[in-house]
Amino acid sequence: ALVMAWYCSGSTNTELIENLFKSGLIKNKRVKEAMLRVDRAHYAPSRPYSDSPQSIGHKATISAPHMHAQACEYLIDHLQPGSRVLDIGSGSGYLTHVLANLVAGPDAPEQGQVIGIDHISDLIDMSRTNINKSEEGRNLQESGIVKMITADGRLGWKDGAPYDAIHVGAAAESLHPALMEQLRAPGRLFIPIESEEEGTSVVARGGQYIWVIDKKIDGSIHREKVFQVKYVPLTDAPRG
């Protein structure tokens, strides 16, 4: 299905999301609603309704819409009104906004929160500006439901933990223990990893895969390798 993703592009935000839904790349109605409410034109500098990744500068990209949809689909059971979410490598801020729509619901038992982290402060500034382009986005930031932070995402963000869901938007070399520690039980982590883990050692295999890692209520860990991807690497902060 992912090979056919070009087929989903639209001329408007609504058309793009409807095409993703029709093709089965979005299955969950809540995911569809959350994505319909965020205009990609506020986040993608050119061809916002094309189902393809785009550069946003600083060697970073905004992922293709179908990848954002997949991330939400895999995490959706942990994206309830009131849930706490960490979005690592938040880039343009697009997915951070979509995730916030999923946890901010009016029937939230307590205020949900999405913390977006990027190590490039220019991208954090850009994402704040992007999110503020809509009234809904401004409200999310003013209320503190969305919080954007410049930091090394590989260390997670301890102050906001534990998280019901953690999304990583850049390829990690390995599974960072800090992220597992900051995951609630039950909780789910969606992360692209460059190499494959075998037992305790990590074996480079060539190719990146999305791993979905569940921490069960009893604290046990269940990992599943779900599909091959190509993400920009999760890198060190620029020196200078």
Side-chain angles (χ1 to χ4, degrees), residues 107-118:
D107 46 353
E110 53 191 75
Q111 181 168 289
Q113 189 176 45
V114 183
I115 296 175
I117 287 203
D118 208 291

Side-chain angles (χ1 to χ4, degrees), residues 171-172 192-196 203-211 225 227-230:
I193 300 182
E194 282 284 1
S195 44
E196 208 170 297
V203 187
R205 284 266 187 245
Q208 295 171 4
Y209 288 86
I210 292 286
W211 286 76
K225 187 166 103 173
F227 53 87
Q228 195 163 7
V229 286
K230 187 75 189 128

